[in-house]
Amino acid sequence: MNQLEQLKQYTTIVADTGDFQAMKAFAPRDATTNPSLILKAVQKDEYKPLLEKAVRDNVRLPTGDVIDRLLIAFGLEILKLIPGRVSTETDARLSFDTQGTIDKGRALIALYEAAGISRERVLIKIASTWEGIQAAQVLEKEGIRCNMTLLFALPQAIACADANVQLISPFVGRIYDWYKKSTGQEYTGADDPGVQSVKRIYNYYRKFGYKTEVMGASFRNTSQIVELAGCDLLTISPELLQKLAETQAPVARKLSVEEANASDLKKLTLDEKTFRLMLNDDAMGTEKLSEGIRLFCADAVKLEKMVEALR
């Protein structure tokens, strides 16, 4: 078996792309999108009709509502190709607005349900700020499942689990980027700080019986992916899925409940003050969260300009 086939024995594979044509070859169970991936997709000729239709059919709606319908259009096409769930992201500019995030999550689910898709097949992606996590807790109680993104640090993961969210997406590659830049070192295999972060979160969740799913995300190379074999889910770009499919090297399970139970992790209790202090003490987590929100906000603005140019 190739590495992708071996990996599927231990882990649920998710396609990380807005290019739904690219995911056909790899048969993922789920798929994730974000504003940057959608922006990239609508600049391709094959996806421009989706953008044009969203604008044409909703010409009287505010630009933000048109974009919501564009996101849903992508989600609906993706759901035709996969058996599982699609993740659709809320506006990153709501990252510090609990009620705004709740309202947006409800609105996105309502659009999916109006299109005949049950809420069980959708994950609403929300930034892992304190405000975002509180919004997710409310949405989860309403049966709206959430995928907490831009997650870089253990306190974010603990707060998400305490809020009973469905799934978290710790960003392996961006953690690696930060440490490589700050130390000047190259990291591979189990020494990769991004890999170590996800392992720690996975072990914490399994040791203390949390049901929240862990989905490693934002990979830079296949070494990072193989080192997380056994993680609940891994969301992988089409380029790296292709590399895994072309490689025959063995893949062994690296994460397990047995290893988690044997770890020396201690259970932490977080209130808002403790969360903010712990995250503030983590320079990498603080910087990458802020940067990620800024980048997603910038791409949301670019998408708005594309919509407005077509009106």
Side-chain angles (χ1 to χ4, degrees):
M1 291 191 291
N2 62 44
Q3 285 194 316
L4 181 58
E5 291 167 335
Q6 293 177 70
L7 196 59
K8 285 181 178 181
Q9 296 179 112
Y10 311 120
T11 292
T12 296
I13 301 303
V14 180
D16 192 15
T17 180
D19 183 351
F20 41 81
Q21 301 299 330
M23 67 179 71
K24 285 182 180 177
F26 304 109
R29 193 194 75 181
D30 295 354
T32 58
T33 63
N34 63 45
S36 302
L37 292 173
I38 297 296
L39 177 66
K40 184 178 175 184
V42 295
Q43 294 177 63
K44 297 181 178 180
D45 288 341
E46 60 264 43
Y47 297 115
K48 278 182 184 170
L50 277 179
L51 174 62
E52 291 164 354
K53 187 176 189 305
V55 175
R56 187 172 63 248
D57 292 352
N58 302 285
V59 69
R60 290 191 174 86
L61 291 179
T63 299
D65 290 351
V66 175
I67 288 174
D68 286 351
R69 282 153 178 79
L70 176 65
L71 299 179
I72 302 307
F74 268 86
L76 293 174
E77 292 298 323
I78 288 168
L79 286 169
K80 292 175 185 176
L81 301 174
I82 60 171
R85 306 168 294 187
V86 68
S87 291
T88 297
E89 192 144 347
T90 56
D91 191 326
R93 291 167 292 187
L94 297 172
S95 295
F96 304 102
D97 181 348
T98 298
Q99 189 58 51
T101 300
I102 292 169
D103 294 342
K104 181 64 74 175
R106 288 169 176 163
L108 292 171
I109 284 294
L111 288 171
Y112 272 112
E113 290 184 330
I117 301 297
S118 70
R119 60 184 57 190
E120 288 74 27
R121 295 200 68 197
V122 180
L123 294 172
I124 300 299
K125 283 180 83 173
I126 299 170
S128 299
T129 57
W130 179 261
E131 294 81 1
I133 295 166
Q134 303 318 299
Q137 186 168 32
V138 173
L139 292 171
E140 289 281 357
K141 288 176 181 175
E142 298 175 7
I144 299 173
R145 296 171 180 180
C146 299
N147 170 355
M148 304 308 293
T149 188
L150 294 175
L151 195 148
F152 303 96
L154 186 61
Q156 291 175 289
I158 294 171
C160 288
D162 287 340
N164 294 312
V165 304
Q166 181 71 30
L167 180 147
I168 63 166
S169 295
F171 275 28
V172 177
R174 296 195 196 187
I175 295 173
Y176 160 84
D177 293 343
W178 189 91
Y179 279 99
K180 183 179 178 182
K181 183 179 178 181
S182 64
T183 67
Q185 294 182 42
E186 180 59 76
Y187 298 93
T188 58
D191 294 328
D192 188 306
V195 169
Q196 292 173 354
S197 177
V198 176
K199 283 187 175 180
R200 187 163 58 250
I201 290 167
Y202 176 90
N203 286 342
Y204 187 93
Y205 277 17
R206 299 293 87 87
K207 181 168 184 173
F208 299 115
Y210 288 110
K211 291 186 171 60
T212 297
E213 300 169 64
V214 180
M215 180 169 72
S218 165
F219 293 105
R220 298 291 179 260
N221 53 62
T222 57
S223 169
Q224 293 171 334
I225 296 166
V226 170
E227 282 298 325
L228 292 173
C231 194
D232 300 328
L233 308 95
L234 298 173
T235 182
I236 306 169
S237 70
E239 294 77 18
L240 292 177
L241 287 170
Q242 184 66 43
K243 287 184 179 180
L244 290 166
E246 293 171 350
T247 305
Q248 303 295 323
V251 175
R253 178 186 284 275
K254 297 296 179 76
L255 277 64
S256 67
V257 174
E258 292 75 21
E259 183 182 317
N261 288 335
S263 70
D264 59 358
L265 290 164
K266 302 290 188 291
K267 199 165 193 294
L268 301 176
T269 303
L270 300 187
D271 57 11
E272 181 178 353
K273 289 178 287 187
T274 308
F275 171 91
R276 293 192 186 280
L277 185 61
M278 284 183 69
L279 184 55
N280 187 72
D281 282 346
D282 187 326
M284 178 279 298
T286 298
E287 290 174 27
K288 297 308 286 186
L289 174 60
S290 298
E291 177 190 68
I293 292 170
R294 286 195 301 273
L295 290 172
F296 282 163
C297 286
D299 284 343
V301 171
K302 290 176 187 174
L303 204 50
E304 284 184 346
K305 289 179 178 174
M306 291 183 73
V307 168
E308 287 163 3
L310 289 171
R311 283 185 180 277

